Amino acid sequence: MHNPIIAEVTRGNVVESQHRGFFTVVDETGKVLTSAGDPTVTFFPRSAIKAFQCLPLIETGAADRFGLNDEEIALCCSSHNGEPEHVRVARSILAKAGIDEACYECGAQMPYAKEASYQLIREGNNPLQVHNCCSGKHAGMLVLAKHLGASLTNYIDAEHPVQQAVAECLSRYTGENVKTAARGIDGCSVPTWALPLRSVALAFARLGRGDAHCQRIISAVRAHPEMVEGKGGFDTRIMNAVPRLFIKYGAEGSFCGCIPHAGLGFTVKSDDGARRAVEVAIAQVLGGLECWTPEEQNALQEFTVTHLRNWRKLDVGDVRAAVS
C-alpha cells in the first residue's frame, strides 16, 4: 500500500513531481490526533532526535558541572551550518571541559554555509571536524564521557557508556526497547536506531511536557534557534516565526518535534528522503492543529509553499504541501 502524496512540485500550472510520505501527531498519552500512512512503520529519525542525545548531558549533571550555557546546549541539539558562531560555540563547549578538539570522531566536513566554506577555500584551509554539522552534539557527548569517567576514545561506539545512556533515554521516552531495535550508523558515526513513527512522536510529546531537564533543552533551543541550523535554515526560520514550536530536521527527509503548550509530539518522513517535501508538509500538518493563535497559523501557512526560481531568478514553480 502506497503512502499518500504529501507534497507536489509544480512547473507553471503543471504538477511535475510528487513526494509520498507519512506523518503522525500524538498527545502525551499516545493518542493519535492526525496521521497519514502507517504510524507503526519504523524509520531512522537520524538527527531529528538530537534532543534525546543531549538529554543525558543534562540529566547526569554534566552540563552543570562544566557550566554549559543555553547557547551551548542549543548547539548540542543542532545540525548546524558550520558558520563562525557555530564553530565558536562548539570550541567553547570543549574548552570548558578541557577536551582537545582532536578527540572528535565525527569526521571533517565542509560547512553547509556557503560563505563559511568559501572563506576556508580563500584562506587555503581544509575543513575540520569542528565544522561538521554534528560537532555540537559530539562536543556534548565528549563532555558527558568525561563526566562519567569514561574513555574519550570510541565514544561513538554503541557499547560506550555515552551511547548506552542515549539508548536508555530513548527507550524511556519512546516506550520501545531501543537496545533490541534495528541499528545503523549515522552520518557522523554515532548509532542510529529504527523506531516506530508513533513512538518517536510520543517521545517528543513527553519531552514537551517533561521535567526540568527537558524544559532546559526546550528553553535553550527557543532562546537560540540560530544555533540549531543557522542563517536561512528551515529549523531556525520556522522557530523564529513560531517560537512556541520545537522542531528538528533529520537526514533522509524526516522532521520531529513537539508543541509543549499543547502536549503534542509529531513526526513526518518522506518516502524518497526529500527534505523539500517534508518542510512544506509538516508546516501544513502543524497549521491544521487547533492549538495556535491566528498569528501563529498565518506564520505556519507561509511555510507550506516554497517558491522555485531558475538561475535568472525567474519564478518557475513551487513546492507545495499536498496534505489533505
Side-chain angles (χ1 to χ4, degrees), residues 195-218:
L195 300 168
L197 190 76
R198 184 166 58 190
S199 298
V200 176
L202 173 61
F204 275 91
R206 290 171 169 171
L207 179 79
R209 287 292 178 89
D211 60 17
H213 304 306
C214 298
Q215 298 311 312
R216 185 172 179 185
I217 287 177
I218 291 170

Side-chain angles (χ1 to χ4, degrees), residues 279-296:
E279 286 184 349
V280 295
I282 195 58
Q284 181 77 12
V285 171
L286 294 175
L289 300 174
E290 296 180 356
C291 61
W292 306 108
T293 65
E295 292 76 18
E296 289 171 326

Side-chain angles (χ1 to χ4, degrees), residues 10-319:
T10 64
R11 188 168 297 272
N13 295 321
V14 176
V15 175
E16 185 175 32
S17 302
Q18 296 175 321
H19 297 281
R20 293 182 181 273
F22 42 93
F23 64 84
T24 190
V25 180
V26 306
D27 66 17
E28 56 195 305
T29 71
K31 178 183 177 182
V32 176
L33 276 70
T34 182
S35 68
D38 183 358
T40 66
V41 70
T42 60
F43 77 117
F44 287 112
R46 305 285 296 275
S47 288
I49 58 162
K50 282 186 176 176
F52 297 102
Q53 292 170 313
C54 176
L55 196 52
L57 178 71
I58 313 297
E59 292 178 334
T60 61
D64 286 335
R65 175 184 173 186
F66 294 105
L68 300 192
N69 59 34
D70 281 354
E71 189 179 44
E72 291 159 344
I73 290 170
L75 193 77
C76 290
C77 300
S78 77
S79 296
H80 62 73
N81 288 339
E83 296 162 20
E85 286 297 285
H86 299 138
V87 173
R88 173 187 65 80
V89 175
R91 284 175 167 159
S92 175
I93 295 169
L94 295 178
K96 285 184 173 181
I99 298 172
D100 193 279
E101 203 170 309
C103 291
Y104 269 136
E105 295 180 355
C106 52
Q109 176 189 340
M110 187 65 80
Y112 286 135
K114 288 184 179 180
E115 183 51 41
S117 62
Y118 294 161
Q119 186 66 28
L120 283 178
I121 294 169
R122 284 193 295 265
E123 294 172 350
N125 294 324
N126 293 321
L128 303 173
Q129 294 193 90
V130 75
H131 296 112
N132 187 299
C133 65
C134 296
S135 69
K137 175 181 75 177
H138 279 250
M141 288 179 170
L142 282 164
V143 170
L144 176 59
K146 184 163 186 176
H147 178 71
L148 296 176
S151 172
L152 301 186
T153 303
N154 298 326
Y155 67 91
I156 60 174
D157 291 351
E159 300 309 316
H160 189 281
V162 165
Q163 303 308 329
Q164 289 289 298
V166 172
E168 186 280 328
C169 182
L170 280 169
S171 294
R172 190 166 14 111
Y173 279 83
T174 62
E176 302 289 332
N177 186 353
V178 170
K179 293 183 180 180
T180 63
R183 189 178 73 219
I185 300 175
D186 215 328
C188 66
S189 297
V190 300
T192 181
W193 294 271
L195 300 168
L197 190 76
R198 184 166 58 190
S199 298
V200 176
L202 173 61
F204 275 91
R206 290 171 169 171
L207 179 79
R209 287 292 178 89
D211 60 17
H213 304 306
C214 298
Q215 298 311 312
R216 185 172 179 185
I217 287 177
I218 291 170
S219 296
V221 167
R222 283 177 167 174
H224 298 281
E226 74 283 355
M227 286 292 119
V228 177
E229 189 166 3
K231 295 175 183 176
F234 180 88
D235 289 2
T236 295
R237 289 187 296 112
I238 197 168
M239 286 193 288
N240 272 326
V242 187
R244 292 201 294 172
L245 173 65
F246 182 94
I247 192 168
K248 180 68 183 68
Y249 176 71
E252 293 300 319
S254 64
F255 267 110
C256 301
C258 60
I259 309 168
H261 70 273
L264 303 180
F266 58 86
T267 52
V268 61
K269 173 76 172 69
S270 61
D271 285 358
D272 60 2
R275 177 168 183 168
R276 67 180 184 178
V278 289
E279 286 184 349
V280 295
I282 195 58
Q284 181 77 12
V285 171
L286 294 175
L289 300 174
E290 296 180 356
C291 61
W292 306 108
T293 65
E295 292 76 18
E296 289 171 326
Q297 286 181 323
N298 289 337
L300 288 167
Q301 185 63 32
E302 292 293 318
F303 289 88
T304 62
V305 177
T306 301
H307 301 297
L308 300 177
R309 292 177 177 171
N310 67 10
W311 292 109
R312 292 189 62 207
K313 310 302 181 186
L314 300 176
D315 288 328
V316 296
D318 298 308
V319 182

